[in-house]
Amino acid sequence: MAAAVTAAVTFPSTKSSTLSISSRTFISSDRLTFNKRHVLKKVVVVVGPIRAQVTETQAPPKVVKHSKKFEEGVVTNKFRPKNPYIGRCLLNTKITGDDAPGETWHMVFSTEGEIPYREGQSIGVIPDGIDKNGKPHKLRLYSIASSALGDFGDSKTVSLCVKRLVYTNEQGEIVKGVCSNFLCDLKPGADVKITGPVGKEMLMPVDPNATIIMLGTGTGIAPFRSFLWKMFFEKHDDYKFNGLAWLFLGVPTSSSLLYKEEFEKMKEIAPDKFRLDFAVSREQTNEKGEKMYIQTRMAQYANELWELLKKDNTFVYMCGLKGMEKGIDDIMVSLAAKDGIDWMTYKKDLKRAEQWNVEVY
């Protein structure tokens, strides 16, 4: 069993196979082919006066793939839209500065242990009210921002990191995102309809000695906060992180840096196990004077990152804006080429090995 959290929460301002049957007494070189899925029944081959017999055999059993992630016992879709869990808002706090370009809120909901999620999963939220067709609103998915123990350490809460969506459309009208505004406006004590949990893509690696590279933009930080709390703020009888966690977080301004104080505290706790790099696009530049986006910051460690990506126990997780992966691909293409490797092919191999994990929106 895991012990309670002792750290406080802080917030800043498929192919066919060929079977060949041969004998030195055969006078024919004909080959017999069978699909590997089929059982080879009794076959008699007569060549002249010689009778060769193949006894009944069976294709080898299918190899079961063992995941490198914490997939065993993972629960999905316990609660669905027709029967959501009714949670209660316990805490809702703005975690961006007043001068930040947009508001981001951290919120905690009660679950009473009824939503057994894992780090890296998501939940759905169904906002109150009806849509323009008079039907209940559809759910929106949000990455969970808390460890399985939750912010209070009792496995009875779930947390989200939500940015309030407000924009001006082509007609000049101000449009507010239905669910994000519903969530950001929630008051403690208010009910919220929750579905899920869902997702296995972003589950943590089982290997406690793994190198975990986390690439997040904005609220894409959510699953990484859940990872890092488990690694550095909690004590577990069955898990002790001894690898390297490396977080790259991209935001527009320093007042938009999310959970900065928490991450800096983690760095104090485990300086040899946690590396932290921010990319603040509107305030920082590189040596060429280019804006510091997440891929720009990563480029400063390009060779080191490439060497890590050659190892079997390095896992990359990416969460945030949809366009971020292309910028990172651009860095890796040239690095892989130096070793005579095609990056896009190599990345597919990493994905098959569960070492390249992407959740973007």
Side-chain angles (χ1 to χ4, degrees):
M1 292 295 291
V5 179
T6 56
V9 186
T10 57
F11 302 103
S13 322
T14 334
K15 293 179 182 178
S16 63
S17 60
T18 301
L19 172 65
S20 176
I21 302 174
S22 61
S23 168
R24 285 178 296 178
T25 57
F26 279 13
I27 59 175
S28 172
S29 60
D30 292 343
R31 298 169 65 85
L32 302 178
T33 60
F34 302 86
N35 188 289
K36 67 180 180 181
R37 295 195 186 100
H38 297 158
V39 174
L40 181 59
K41 298 299 182 178
K42 191 171 183 179
V43 177
V44 176
V45 181
V46 179
V47 182
I50 301 171
R51 186 180 180 89
Q53 179 173 300
V54 179
T55 58
E56 183 175 308
T57 61
Q58 186 171 0
K62 184 177 180 181
V63 176
V64 177
K65 179 184 175 183
H66 294 282
S67 176
K68 296 179 181 179
K69 301 177 184 177
F70 279 112
E71 288 194 4
E72 186 177 353
V74 170
V75 174
T76 59
N77 296 308
K78 180 179 179 181
F79 293 96
R80 298 177 179 272
K82 291 184 178 179
N83 184 32
Y85 178 82
I86 307 301
R88 186 175 74 259
C89 178
L90 302 177
L91 173 74
N92 200 4
T93 305
K94 189 175 75 165
I95 56 174
T96 46
D98 292 337
D99 61 339
E103 299 177 7
T104 300
W105 293 66
H106 179 86
M107 52 203 70
V108 182
F109 306 131
S110 66
T111 66
E112 298 305 322
E114 293 297 319
I115 304 178
Y117 63 88
R118 295 277 184 89
E119 294 84 4
Q121 287 193 286
S122 301
I123 56 170
V125 174
I126 304 174
D128 289 349
I130 56 176
D131 61 20
K132 60 183 179 181
N133 298 315
K135 296 182 178 180
H137 289 298
K138 294 182 178 180
L139 68 86
R140 272 74 161 178
L141 288 176
Y142 292 92
S143 297
I144 295 171
S146 52
S147 72
L149 289 183
D151 286 1
F152 301 159
D154 58 4
S155 300
K156 293 183 178 181
T157 65
V158 62
S159 302
L160 297 181
C161 176
V162 180
K163 181 176 182 178
R164 186 190 296 274
L165 177 61
V166 181
Y167 65 95
T168 303
N169 65 16
E170 296 178 352
Q171 291 73 41
E173 303 167 324
I174 296 177
V175 180
K176 295 183 177 182
V178 173
C179 199
S180 69
N181 281 271
F182 164 75
L183 286 171
C184 292
D185 290 337
L186 278 177
K187 304 299 182 185
D191 288 344
V192 58
K193 295 186 282 291
I194 300 172
T195 66
V198 298
K200 293 184 178 182
E201 173 72 14
M202 299 292 283
L203 294 174
M204 291 179 68
V206 172
D207 184 2
N209 301 308
T211 293
I212 304 176
I213 300 172
M214 297 160 282
L215 316 174
T217 57
T219 56
I221 192 63
F224 307 140
R225 180 180 185 266
S226 72
F227 286 13
L228 293 166
W229 267 60
K230 181 173 183 176
M231 293 174 186
F232 302 120
F233 277 175
E234 301 171 356
K235 302 295 183 182
H236 295 264
D237 293 336
D238 58 351
Y239 180 79
K240 178 177 174 57
F241 183 69
N242 290 308
L244 172 65
W246 193 349
L247 173 65
F248 290 87
L249 174 60
V251 294
T253 65
S254 55
S255 56
S256 305
L257 284 170
L258 308 176
Y259 310 112
K260 182 174 180 286
E261 293 179 14
E262 288 184 17
F263 298 146
E264 290 177 342
K265 180 65 176 177
M266 293 172 186
K267 199 163 173 55
E268 289 179 19
I269 294 171
D272 299 330
K273 297 177 184 178
F274 184 38
R275 293 177 64 172
L276 177 62
D277 280 279
F278 296 131
V280 185
S281 61
R282 298 185 189 177
E283 299 174 12
Q284 300 174 334
T285 58
N286 63 6
E287 62 278 2
K288 298 178 182 178
E290 299 168 327
K291 287 186 175 183
M292 190 62 72
Y293 295 108
I294 191 169
Q295 62 267 27
T296 319
R297 181 65 75 193
M298 290 177 65
Q300 296 180 333
Y301 306 95
N303 292 315
E304 184 178 1
L305 288 167
W306 175 239
E307 291 304 313
L308 287 173
L309 279 173
K310 295 178 185 178
K311 299 181 179 181
D312 290 340
N313 69 335
T314 295
F315 296 78
V316 176
Y317 290 82
M318 188 183 308
C319 187
L321 298 175
K322 197 170 186 177
M324 67 185 296
E325 189 172 14
K326 182 183 182 304
I328 293 165
D329 283 338
D330 291 342
I331 299 171
M332 296 300 173
V333 166
S334 58
L335 288 168
K338 291 179 181 179
D339 286 346
I341 297 172
D342 177 76
W343 166 246
M344 300 310 288
T345 299
Y346 191 74
K347 187 171 76 167
K348 289 179 181 178
D349 291 338
L350 289 174
K351 286 185 175 181
R352 279 192 288 267
E354 300 182 335
Q355 290 178 251
W356 190 270
N357 309 277
V358 179
E359 189 170 85
V360 293
Y361 41 84

